[in-house]
Every structure is written in structure tokens, then in C-alpha cells.
Amino acid sequence: MGGAGGPPVFYVGLGLALASSAFIGGSFILKKKGLLRLCRRGRARAGQGGHAYLQEWLWWAGLLCMGVGEAANFAAYAFAPATLVTPLGALSVLVSAVLSSTFLNEQLNVHGKIGCILSILGSTVMVIHAPQEEEVSSLESMAEKLKDPGFIVFAVCILVSSLLLIFVVGPRYGQSNVLVYVLVCSAIGSLSVSCVKGLGIALKELFSRKPVLKEPLGWVLLVCLVICISVQINYLNKALDIFNTSVVTPVYYVLFTTAVMMCSAILFKEWQHMVLHNIIGTISGFLTIVCGIFLLHAFRDVPFTPDLLPLFLQQGRADLHASSRSADRHQSCQHQPLLPSEDKGSQSTEEEEDEEGESV
């Protein structure tokens, strides 16, 4: 599981990924609170094309937290494969859900708690069975992979579909369907992960005192990364402003993880060297996360009452309740005769004393 770099490299990547999830999960809450404050003031909303959030310090605090989280995520991708780091993004969903129930008064019922547990279990399974990527140790090998026809077709499809979502689907359904803006963020995010991976390799070569600054690929990746992050921030703000945080965050995670797994499989050929049980484990872990995420947001407003239990459990609960009531009644019957018996005893004693008095 540590890959070619050994256990120390794996633990560095793991720690950075955990820190990234914590910061990114908290950034959603800060941004949402900033957008809510602007809404209460009657300012132009981000979902309607306004940019008043640029004057709100809470939004900037959320952006700073997201920047720190993305920086940690950036470093994690440099130390570990993408399919090892990306599943740990489910922890940001858990952080966001817990903080939303605490600071935004958004409900986290028993279904959401079960979804959180399933997300953690699925992430653990995916990490255990994560595929190992091909060795990419230089910008030259990265450039060769970027020239692969399969990746070029994938990148073109991502760009074309994103443009259609932005200019055709967005104006019609963006205000009513959460998938529109989140799909844009997820699709562009898959390309940003590739840019991050390439820049991580460039930084490693730079620290090794190689002439990386003269390589044009590094600068191209940096420009592409800035564009991708700008698009992600813009449309993520729109989604957060229109829809509930507990909806946007899990849906974004599922779509983003799927896109990154597809991009990594095409670019780094991760799935070619996997054995069958690792393939099954990876797919099973991801489906477990999807089920957990679905429980986390699909039933967020459904109260958990005994009426929601299956009939056989309701019957068992009724029988248990009836038996407990009968036990209480039986117990009360056992204790009830104590006082009357004492009264009878005292009454008989008094009668005996009266009879003795009469006889005397």
C-alpha cells in the first residue's frame, strides 16, 4: 500500500490527505455562512451572478481554508497515487456534515450518521485495495503520457461537456438541478488533478536541482491549474448559494471521485496491473461510499421514528413493550399487598385487645 516510495512516503501522503479533508470540509461551512450573511443583507447572490461575496471576510476565511486544504492535497498527490488520495476526500464530507449540523442548524439524523460510517468504511476499503500507478518520475515521462490518444480524447470530451453545461444547460436548469454546476466542478477538477500531479513532479525535480524552470510543460500545467481552480471556485459558489450544503458536498464528492478515477486510469494506466481481488475491492469500496453519501443527503429531512421500522421489528418492539408493562404490573401487584396485610395485622391485634378488655 505504500507503493514504490515505501511506508514513510505513504504515511506522509496519508497525513496530508487527512489534513486536506479537515480544511476543505471546514471551508464549505465558512463560505456558506458568508453567503448567508450576504443574503440577509439583501446583496446580489452568487447564484444570480453577483460577486458581493468578495467583500465578505467569512467567505475569504473559507477560501483561505480551502487554499490550505488544496495545498495539502497538492502535496499528497505528489507523494501518493491519485486513487489513494482521492477516496480520503470522503472525510471532508463527514467534516462538512457534522459542522453543518452544529453551525448551520442543518439536520444530521440517524440516516446521516449511518452514511458517515459507511463512507469511512468504503474509504478504508478503497485505500487498502488502491491500484498502483505507473512510475512517473520526470516531466518527460509526464509529457509522454499527456500525448496519449486516450487521454487527449478524454480531455476533449471533458472540455466540450463542460462548455455545454455552462452555456446551454446552466441557464435553463442550473437553478433547479444540483447536478449542473457540480458536474462542471467535478469534470474540470479531474483535469486539475492531472495538473497537480505534473506540478508535484516538477517540484520534486526542482528540489533535485534540475533545470525545471526552463521546461515549458511546467508553466503550461501551472496556467491550466489556475484556470481549472478558478472555474471550480466560481461554479462551486453558485451551487452552494442555491442548494443545501449537505446536498452539494456529497454529490460533489461522488462525481469528483468518479471523474478523478477515470482520469487517473486513462492517464496513468493504473488498472492494467491490478489483480482481480483488488479490482473488486476498489469497486466495492467506492460503491459503499456512494451508498453512504446517498444516505447522508437523501434522507437528511426524514425524522427517524419507530414507525419507520419494518413490521417484524415493530411487532417485536410491541411485544417487548407489552411484556415490560406486564412485568411492571406484576411487580406492582407483588408489592401492593404489603400495606393491606400490615393493616389487617394491626386490625386483628386491636380486636384481640378489645376482646381481652371485655372479658376482664
Side-chain angles (χ1 to χ4, degrees), residues 64-75:
L64 179 62
C65 284
M66 178 166 280
V68 174
E70 291 294 345
N73 200 43
F74 178 94

Side-chain angles (χ1 to χ4, degrees), residues 143-158 191 194 262-269 272:
E144 293 296 326
K145 292 187 176 297
L146 291 175
K147 295 177 183 178
D148 185 76
F151 177 74
I152 293 175
V153 172
F154 174 79
V156 170
C157 292
I158 290 292
L191 298 180
S194 302
M262 291 176 59
C263 183
S264 300
I266 294 173
L267 182 61
F268 298 109
K269 308 295 188 298
Q272 289 186 353

